[in-house]
Amino acid sequence: MTTARENIVILTGAGISAESGIATFRDKDGVWSKFKLEDYATPEAFERDPVKVQTFYNERRAGMKDKQPKAAHEALARLEKEHSGEVLLVTQNIDDLHDRAGSENLVHMHGELLKAWCTHCDNRSAWLYNIEADSVCASCGQKGSLRPDVVWFGEMPYQMDRIFDALDRADIFISIGTSGAVYPAAGFVDAANQAGAATMELNLEPSDGSYLFDEVAHGPATEIVPNWVEGFLTES
Ligand code: APR
């Protein structure tokens, strides 16, 4: 009997974009070592000081201009194209590097930095510039109702039903470049294990939850992800 390899679910985190020059959150020089997350990444913070929160995300959005997808993003796009089964890529990242690398079956579970969400009409639209206090919603014309379309702590990540449905059917689950510190994403490996999937961690170093995976490979994403994809597609 051969092990099933059809349905693949991949979870990515900040580590896959680190070599593109985007800071991770919990590493030594990570975002949350410089900024208190309670002041920038909660609905309460936005209510208290919207300008401070918008400025934080405006800076991040402006910082995306010179960032490019790297070999790991490209390898996952290649996997989706060349694998005969299903590949669902779930990213916690709010950057657009997976999109630009060509991944299409992609869930941005924590939202997208390059989109604005109108809290007046609920429209979400591409937004490449700063969101200011007097920015106008392109859909309803309301002024001052836009926020970054990102999921803050205390809010429900996007498309959870779709993700757990894919995890239920997964033959392989791979976690790439994430510390596994934030739920619900941190619980995906348990769901995959329960579904009988083969589970694998690809990360710079062992995460705290490394022991939950059947297999691990450690090193920079630009090396270990293309290596894994190449090996997988060659064996298929
Ligand atoms: N290659 C592979 N992994 C790397 C690399 C690299 N070049 N550089 C760093 N890493 C690993 C780190 O070892 C760490 O385990 O990436 C992981 C990044 O972890 P976090 O900074 O915690 O980022 P992430 O897991 O994506 O955070 C989850 O937390 O703050 C929230 O919403 C935010 O989506 C984010 C969520």
Side-chain angles (χ1 to χ4, degrees):
M1 195 178 96
T2 53
T3 315
R5 293 154 60 91
E6 274 299 292
N7 296 334
I8 304 176
V9 179
I10 298 171
L11 171 69
T12 64
I16 198 165
S17 295
E19 290 159 88
S20 296
I22 301 175
T24 60
F25 294 96
R26 293 173 187 77
D27 290 308
K28 197 164 58 61
D29 295 321
V31 175
W32 300 144
S33 71
K34 299 187 177 118
F35 300 89
K36 229 172 120 191
L37 77 83
E38 293 84 356
D39 291 342
Y40 296 95
T42 66
E44 294 78 17
F46 187 56
E47 214 163 286
R48 263 194 320 268
D49 196 340
V51 173
K52 181 175 175 171
V53 172
Q54 296 282 22
T55 303
F56 174 79
Y57 286 97
N58 287 344
E59 284 168 3
R60 250 134 261 286
R61 196 175 299 109
M64 280 307 299
K65 286 201 181 84
D66 59 343
K67 306 298 188 291
Q68 301 299 334
K70 295 280 186 188
H73 304 96
E74 283 156 9
L76 296 183
R78 176 184 171 211
L79 178 69
E80 183 186 323
K81 282 191 184 63
E82 296 185 18
H83 178 50
S84 56
E86 183 182 333
V87 178
L88 178 67
L89 177 54
V90 180
T91 188
Q92 298 168 90
N93 299 343
I94 59 174
D95 66 55
D96 65 344
L97 299 184
H98 284 307
D99 309 68
R100 280 160 54 200
S103 287
E104 288 175 1
N105 205 23
L106 171 64
V107 175
H108 276 279
M109 66 178 288
H110 290 169
E112 294 176 66
L113 184 58
L114 302 183
K115 282 191 180 166
W117 173 17
C118 176
T119 54
H120 184 68
C121 74
D122 206 31
N123 182 63
R124 289 167 163 86
S125 58
W127 199 276
L128 304 181
Y129 307 104
N130 288 350
I131 303 180
E132 310 285 2
D134 59 355
S135 293
V136 173
C137 170
S139 175
C140 70
Q142 182 80 13
K143 195 190 268 191
S145 59
L146 298 179
R147 58 167 273 186
D149 187 15
V150 300
V151 176
W152 286 323
F153 286 91
E155 297 182 322
M156 182 56 80
Y158 295 154
Q159 301 194 46
M160 294 309 296
D161 289 348
R162 179 178 172 195
I163 297 168
F164 277 108
D165 173 64
L167 286 167
D168 272 351
R169 295 180 291 105
D171 300 311
I172 298 176
F173 171 73
I174 308 174
S175 171
I176 303 173
T178 175
S179 61
V182 175
Y183 282 85
F188 291 174
V189 62
D190 292 327
N193 280 326
Q194 273 168 31
T199 56
M200 183 169 195
E201 171 174 89
L202 302 177
N203 204 50
L204 188 61
E205 55 196 15
S207 71
D208 288 348
S210 236
Y211 68 94
L212 297 168
F213 293 83
D214 299 321
E215 264 184 81
V216 294
H218 296 126
T222 50
E223 292 172 19
I224 57 179
V225 178
N227 282 350
W228 184 82
V229 170
E230 178 65 32
F232 178 83
L233 290 173
T234 307
E235 286 165 27
S236 294

